[in-house]
Amino acid sequence: MSTDVAVDAAVSERIDAFVRDVIRPIAPAMARGHGPSPKHLVGAAGEAGLAGILTPRDLGGAGGTHLEFASFIEAVAREDASSAVILDVHLSVGTEPIIVFGNDDQKARYLPRLARGEWLAGFALTEPAGGSDAAALQTRAVRDGDAYRLSGTKTFITGAGDADLYVVMARTGEGSRGISAFLVEAHWPGVSTGVPLEKMGLHGSWTGELVLDSVSVPEANRLGDEGFGFRVAMGTLDSGRVGISAQAVGIAQGALDVAVRVARERGAAGVDVDATALADMEARTVASRLLTRHAATLVDAGGAVTRDAAVAKLYATDSCVAVAHAAFELCAPESARADHPAAVRLCDAKACQIYEGTNQIQRMVIARELLQPSKLQ
């Protein structure tokens, strides 16, 4: 299966082989929630040289680009969205904060293990009472000598219960400038997780609560300066949204694949097919892919990406839901089965509009960027 993206040929071959040999065989089980654990999946990616695409070579990674990262996530999501979000979180919001904001000691301690797939990374920002208002988080980090005591509850955490390391946002002061970021190891006393949530889709991805009960975190595991956490979170989410956009493109392409296959079968049997619907699905998918690649290229160039990442995330995820719904309709009545590929993709698609910033938040971000005085002519 070609990834159809202008990336290094060797990386493209590894992606194709990984999807063919690892993802495709487990996709039906993952859709039912009976596939391998997230840590097992990331371990397999590590063996394939793909768990550290964004990690520098001198720290055990591939030293790759965000364009290659997006290609990887899209190719995985085309077969299985649960696997894609597990890998996306590990590679982007779980690992990238250490790459971008970590000091040399933190990078040396954690990045090689994450890049080899020996450890699974998670990102803990969302809280039960916080929702989309990240600045309103309530988890506290209280100074205790040369450490901090973290207490609070995070929710909707991908990989909860299986991750080895969490990037945790906690309050050390007031307002958005009173948030700090910490690297919390899962085995430390006071760290616990709830049972995985029963979700509408993405059944193969473990999502649950992370509970911090007076967890002692060394000052050496604070990521950046005290009060720097909100910048870490927002900067991480900007590039992370490229991954979610790529996941949405992969789901849409997978839904389109199913719809085209069914349309061909029915056409061969003399049944009329909705050519207009197929054309619209293709147009949405192609446009979403181009927007995602554009945002990925901007991240690689080191330029401002907030608006373009939000545009890609908004359009790709809305299109993903529209394409998956159209595929579901085209494949009816067979798609009424819960295990039908079109039904699976429709249920998986909806989450893309919600996590890493709801699409309502993306619209606010885009409008705010447009209304900046420097953007007005």
Side-chain angles (χ1 to χ4, degrees):
M1 178 183 66
S2 173
T3 54
D4 192 31
V5 176
V7 300
D8 180 81
V11 174
S12 182
E13 289 175 6
R14 287 203 301 272
I15 291 172
D16 287 350
F18 180 77
V19 170
R20 180 187 66 242
D21 299 337
V22 177
I23 301 301
R24 192 173 296 158
I26 66 172
M30 291 292 279
R32 299 192 302 272
H34 301 310
S37 70
K39 193 169 180 178
H40 176 89
L41 181 64
V42 168
E47 293 178 2
L50 295 168
I53 283 181
L54 298 174
T55 302
R57 292 183 183 276
D58 60 352
L59 289 165
T65 66
H66 286 79
L67 193 58
E68 291 169 342
F69 160 63
S71 172
F72 179 39
I73 299 303
E74 178 187 339
V76 172
R78 187 173 183 175
E79 297 291 333
D80 175 54
S82 293
S83 298
V85 72
I86 291 167
L87 292 165
D88 172 68
V89 168
H90 175 79
L91 286 164
S92 62
V93 293
T95 298
E96 202 165 7
I98 308 174
I99 297 172
V100 177
F101 300 104
N103 57 38
D104 290 343
D105 170 66
Q106 292 165 345
K107 291 177 180 178
R109 280 192 286 137
Y110 294 119
L111 290 181
R113 284 184 282 190
L114 296 173
R116 290 192 297 266
E118 295 172 1
W119 275 28
L120 173 68
F123 182 72
L125 174 63
T126 304
E127 297 186 356
S132 295
D133 187 2
L137 65 85
Q138 298 176 8
T139 295
R140 288 279 173 181
V142 179
R143 204 45 137 142
D144 183 19
D146 59 355
Y148 292 83
R149 290 280 176 181
L150 269 63
S151 297
T153 300
K154 302 293 185 176
T155 192
F156 291 109
I157 307 305
T158 299
D162 209 32
D164 301 279
L165 181 71
Y166 297 95
V167 179
V168 177
M169 304 299 158
R171 185 164 296 288
T172 50
E174 300 305 317
S176 62
R177 296 184 180 180
I179 296 171
S180 300
F182 299 90
L183 301 174
V184 178
E185 297 186 21
H187 64 88
W188 287 346
V191 178
S192 62
T193 56
V195 297
L197 300 170
E198 293 289 337
K199 306 186 299 296
M200 170 183 169
L202 301 175
H203 298 300
S205 173
W206 298 12
T207 309
E209 281 191 338
L210 173 67
V211 180
L212 306 167
D213 183 10
S214 192
V215 179
S216 181
V217 179
E219 183 178 3
N221 273 47
R222 189 187 66 215
L223 193 58
D225 294 334
E226 191 170 292
F228 195 69
F230 193 73
R231 181 176 172 183
V232 172
M234 295 302 103
T236 299
L237 289 173
D238 271 350
S239 59
R241 284 166 185 156
V242 172
I244 299 304
S245 302
Q247 182 191 11
V249 174
I251 295 172
Q253 185 64 62
L256 180 57
D257 292 343
V258 173
V260 168
R261 183 172 66 248
V262 169
R264 285 173 175 167
E265 292 170 352
R266 291 179 179 177
V271 179
D272 290 337
V273 298
D274 191 342
T276 298
L278 289 173
D280 287 345
M281 293 163 72
E282 170 74 355
R284 282 182 176 272
T285 303
V286 169
S288 297
R289 181 177 293 113
L290 292 174
L291 284 170
T292 300
R293 292 183 189 177
H294 173 66
T297 302
L298 287 178
V299 177
D300 289 329
V305 72
T306 297
R307 184 195 65 184
D308 295 274
V311 168
K313 202 269 186 185
L314 172 65
Y315 188 84
T317 58
D318 279 354
S319 294
C320 172
V321 172
V323 171
H325 184 264
F328 181 87
E329 293 284 321
L330 191 148
C331 295
E334 289 82 2
S335 54
R337 300 195 321 267
D339 63 346
H340 190 280
V344 170
R345 285 169 172 81
L346 179 58
C347 290
D348 288 343
K350 184 61 185 176
C352 294
Q353 294 177 311
I354 299 171
Y355 47 40
E356 298 209 20
T358 66
N359 280 9
Q360 290 86 346
I361 293 295
Q362 303 313 309
R363 290 179 170 89
M364 292 173 61
V365 169
I366 295 165
R368 183 184 67 219
E369 289 289 309
L370 289 173
L371 294 174
Q372 288 182 13
S374 61
K375 303 294 177 64
L376 299 178
Q377 302 297 325

